Amino acid sequence: MHREIRKFLAGMAVAAAALAAPAPLARLHADKGVACADCHGKGKARVDDNEQAPNLACVRCHGDLKAMAKGAADPLNPHASHLGATSCTICHRGHEASRSYCLSCHDFDMKMPGGTDAAWKPRPDPARRDRRVDRADVVVVGSGAAGMVAAITAHDAGARVIVLEKQPLTGGNSMLAEGGMNAAGTKAQARKGIKDSVELMREDTLKGGKFLAEPALVEILARGSAASVDYMEGLGADLSDVGRLGGASVSRAHRPTGGLPVGAHLVDVLRRNAASRKLDVRVNSRVVKLLEGRDGAVTGVEVCGLHRGTYRILAKSVVMASGGFSANPARVARYQPSLEGMASSNQPGATGDGLDLGEARGGKLRDLEQIQIHPSVAKGSRILITEAVRGNGAILVNRQGERFFNEIGTRDAVSQAILHQEGKSAFLLFDEGVRQSLKQIDGYFHLKLVKEGATPEDLARVLGLPGAALRATLDAYNAAVDAKLDPLFKRPDLPRALRTPKFYAIEVNPGIHYTMGGLAVDTATRVLAKDGKAIPGFFAAGEVTGGVHGANRLGGNSISQTITFGRIAGETAAGFAKRQPERK
Ligand code: SIN
């Protein structure tokens, strides 16, 4: 068929679909006299995968996120959410029913103009090919903290960088990180009189991971951690609050002042740094293949963009930073059948595609059966309740109103202890003192996850627990705090008594949180083949790699890993690229 006729028919099909859909935004706009070109831009320019033209048009007419949040009556307002500076088209679609990205993790009754289809997923068309070939020195796959730090580092080392993100927004799982970034020997620790060392962080990490981790990688994690805090602060981050998380011998989880969640803040800082450097960051862009050179090197990627279709980017090196697979139930069940059906705390993009891409290029995978469940996901939801609440003094009680474990033990141990309680859940119990110590807790109130009572007995009534038992539990715990000794469970850190009304509780159960296994890498982040040799031009950092955490990751070590290994990956990938000829 003649190309022009084909094009015309395709255009008619799109228009027909737009009209058939239940009042999509395009139709609502047309009814108000808005022309196609007002959103799409004039001339022949196609909407790009970042959907810049429609997004600019939305803001031009409706105002930015801040303006949209201002007028809203409901305090649960997606325009003011923790996703940060995101674009309108993530949720609002022109030619399909809209969908709220929040519903990927939350369960709200959310109405949107143009209708809502929670199940809607972007549908890039892999059969549509764009024969134009792009070029870069370094391609980074994934835009969580590891990917963004690798990209910024490579850019600052002089490389031309392209970042590819399959989701409609950047940030990956890093955006959801709460408790903190582990680092030993930092200035913030010194200011607070905390005595820590690289050796102690290394030992805690190896022990927490049941000595399955690669000691050389753990050494890099611990040794690079303080410099990584400095690096992030140099980019504009605030990591001045320090708290304690499970399995750590001392307080080393760094986060913003007042105990705000660490992830949303760092992702915001990284987005700003990427923007100020004019980095080429492409969302809605799924990598479908790693290109292979004649010498066995990775020489670029094949990408499927939401609007552009399938195209190639020739690159001198590729950094895989695509995250783990906790949000891929089939994959989780394949490696750990006992976890089938368990909710995950992860963002929907954490499906493990990078493992398949890497394996197809000869990469070695390790420790895939090592899947972490986090003890405290709010029951009936996918909302992680940070370990920092326990770190700042909360306790766990069962349906008998009794404590049953050292609350700041390692995640694997605390999770198992909860699963052994009646109902396979527990109540995370804290008071106003703990609430005031950690700003992150405000978010759980915001999401209506917290039950409260003026006294322990009141709270027990709300929760359906025996009041006298709960009172006795709190009295015994407070006595232990006063004596600085927990005779029941040897909890090593007793930061504050729970005596300040009101008293609060969140029902929690374990949820799939982190995948320790992944691509095998060496200390320079080079991806290793099955024969143990590095694959030229192929680097990886963050949760897509295996070997840093062994059989169990300590809270706060993930963000630390992303920054430290992201920096190494950016440097080595840029250095490798410098030594390569231009790809043809
Ligand atoms: C948490 O805050 O409990 C999670 C942080 C982490 O996974 O390191």
Side-chain angles (χ1 to χ4, degrees):
M1 205 185 317
H2 194 279
R3 219 161 121 227
E4 287 308 309
I5 300 176
R6 261 207 328 254
K7 242 167 98 182
F8 173 76
L9 288 178
M12 291 295 286
V14 169
L19 290 172
L25 285 189
R27 186 133 121 215
L28 292 180
H29 282 74
D31 289 348
K32 289 187 191 311
V34 178
C36 300
D38 292 338
C39 292
H40 287 262
K42 293 197 172 60
K44 287 196 171 165
R46 276 218 305 240
V47 173
D48 71 336
D49 292 332
N50 288 345
E51 303 182 322
Q52 284 186 77
N55 276 297
L56 284 171
C58 295
V59 174
R60 208 166 40 236
C61 291
H62 299 278
D64 61 9
L65 282 173
K66 221 163 147 193
M68 293 298 295
K70 222 169 172 183
D74 190 343
L76 282 179
N77 184 341
H79 294 115
S81 79
H82 63 131
L83 299 183
T86 54
S87 53
C88 310
T89 53
I90 291 168
C91 300
H92 302 284
R93 310 297 306 167
H95 299 283
E96 304 95 8
S98 293
R99 50 105 199 230
S100 167
Y101 199 77
C102 304
L103 296 179
S104 314
C105 300
H106 299 272
D107 193 10
F108 302 130
D109 182 16
M110 204 164 263
K111 299 203 172 30
M112 302 222 301
T116 294
D117 176 2
W120 184 87
K121 281 195 171 69
R123 280 182 290 266
D125 178 4
R128 190 196 312 154
R129 288 202 81 86
D130 182 338
R131 305 224 168 263
R132 286 170 301 170
V133 174
D134 294 358
R135 283 167 198 281
D137 295 324
V138 179
V139 161
V140 178
V141 186
S143 69
M148 291 296 254
V149 166
I152 289 168
T153 309
H155 166 90
D156 291 355
R160 288 169 302 158
V161 181
I162 297 176
V163 180
L164 299 166
E165 168 60 58
K166 69 175 177 177
Q167 294 298 107
L169 74 171
T170 56
N173 258 349
S174 306
M175 192 169 61
L176 303 182
E178 297 184 38
M181 168 178 171
N182 281 350
T186 64
K187 297 182 194 85
Q189 284 178 312
R191 278 195 298 274
K192 291 175 195 304
I194 299 163
K195 294 206 176 354
D196 196 5
S197 67
V198 168
E199 292 69 33
L200 195 55
M201 179 167 166
R202 185 186 62 213
E203 292 316 307
D204 284 348
T205 302
L206 285 168
K207 185 168 163 218
K210 303 193 176 108
F211 299 97
L212 190 73
E214 208 61 63
L217 296 177
V218 177
E219 176 71 22
I220 291 196
L221 176 79
R223 199 160 289 287
S225 62
S228 286
V229 166
D230 291 345
Y231 173 81
M232 285 310 302
E233 287 181 339
L235 294 185
D238 164 15
L239 291 167
S240 54
D241 188 72
V242 190
R244 186 154 172 168
L245 298 181
S249 298
V250 297
S251 293
R252 64 165 73 98
H254 294 66
R255 53 204 177 203
T257 310
L260 280 166
V262 71
H265 171 63
L266 293 188
V267 165
D268 183 51
V269 167
L270 293 168
R271 282 178 182 156
R272 282 174 208 275
N273 275 273
S276 68
R277 286 164 172 79
K278 297 193 171 37
L279 271 186
D280 186 347
V281 180
R282 304 178 186 180
V283 296
N284 296 313
S285 299
R286 177 190 292 274
V287 172
V288 291
K289 192 173 164 189
L290 297 178
L291 305 178
E292 185 182 352
R294 249 177 275 146
D295 53 356
V298 172
T299 55
V301 292
E302 193 166 282
V303 190
C304 184
L306 179 57
H307 298 277
R308 186 165 167 183
T310 303
Y311 64 101
R312 287 188 308 149
I313 305 177
L314 299 185
K316 296 172 186 170
S317 54
V318 172
V319 178
M320 186 61 69
S322 52
F325 60 90
S326 290
N328 184 336
R331 190 163 210 144
V332 166
R334 188 179 341 143
Y335 301 125
Q336 277 294 349
S338 65
L339 299 181
E340 191 161 1
M342 189 180 267
S344 164
S345 63
N346 281 212
Q347 58 96 17
T351 51
D353 318 11
L355 303 179
D356 297 327
L357 291 168
E359 193 180 26
R361 262 303 298 112
K364 179 179 162 189
L365 298 173
R366 58 173 290 172
D367 304 340
L368 292 179
E369 68 292 353
Q370 303 298 339
I371 298 174
Q372 175 168 83
I373 54 174
H374 189 292
S376 49
V377 172
K379 188 159 167 112
S381 84
R382 299 184 47 197
I383 315 301
L384 185 84
I385 308 298
T386 175
E387 204 169 295
V389 184
R390 282 172 278 137
N392 278 24
I395 58 173
L396 288 167
V397 299
N398 57 19
R399 286 190 158 61
Q400 288 69 49
E402 292 164 352
R403 285 179 71 214
F404 52 88
F405 207 71
N406 159 25
E407 290 85 355
I408 60 164
T410 53
R411 289 177 178 175
D412 53 340
V414 181
S415 293
Q416 285 312 320
I418 292 175
L419 290 173
H420 281 103
Q421 304 309 305
E422 188 189 328
K424 297 185 188 323
S425 69
F427 296 95
L428 180 70
L429 203 137
F430 54 100
D431 71 346
E432 188 62 24
V434 173
R435 181 186 180 176
Q436 293 301 331
S437 74
L438 194 71
K439 284 209 174 104
Q440 307 185 43
I441 294 175
D442 291 347
Y444 310 137
F445 280 89
H446 183 71
L447 292 170
K448 302 185 173 68
L449 297 172
V450 188
K451 302 270 192 288
E452 59 182 59
T455 63
E457 287 80 2
D458 278 350
L459 180 61
R461 232 182 334 272
V462 174
L463 301 176
L465 305 183
L470 192 66
R471 163 69 73 177
T473 294
L474 275 171
D475 287 349
Y477 179 73
N478 289 335
V481 174
D482 294 343
K484 296 189 174 52
L485 183 74
D486 173 18
L488 281 180
F489 302 109
K490 309 273 178 293
R491 176 173 169 153
D493 188 45
L494 300 156
R496 50 176 58 81
L498 302 173
R499 289 195 178 101
T500 313
K502 297 178 182 174
F503 296 89
Y504 304 110
I506 304 174
E507 187 170 0
V508 294
N509 52 206
I512 298 159
H513 183 59
Y514 191 86
T515 47
M516 273 78 67
L519 290 166
V521 288
D522 67 9
T523 53
T525 71
R526 297 182 304 176
V527 175
L528 303 177
K530 296 192 178 80
D531 63 3
K533 292 201 180 107
I535 300 172
F538 192 18
F539 306 86
E543 195 175 344
V544 74
T545 65
V548 179
H549 308 291
N552 176 60
R553 175 174 69 75
L554 294 190
N557 267 356
S558 173
I559 283 290
S560 194
Q561 170 193 15
T562 59
I563 311 298
T564 297
F565 287 92
R567 291 173 64 208
I568 297 172
E571 262 160 41
T572 38
F576 182 88
K578 255 184 209 151
R579 298 189 296 275
Q580 305 307 305
E582 197 68 31
R583 299 269 177 234
K584 296 220 174 63

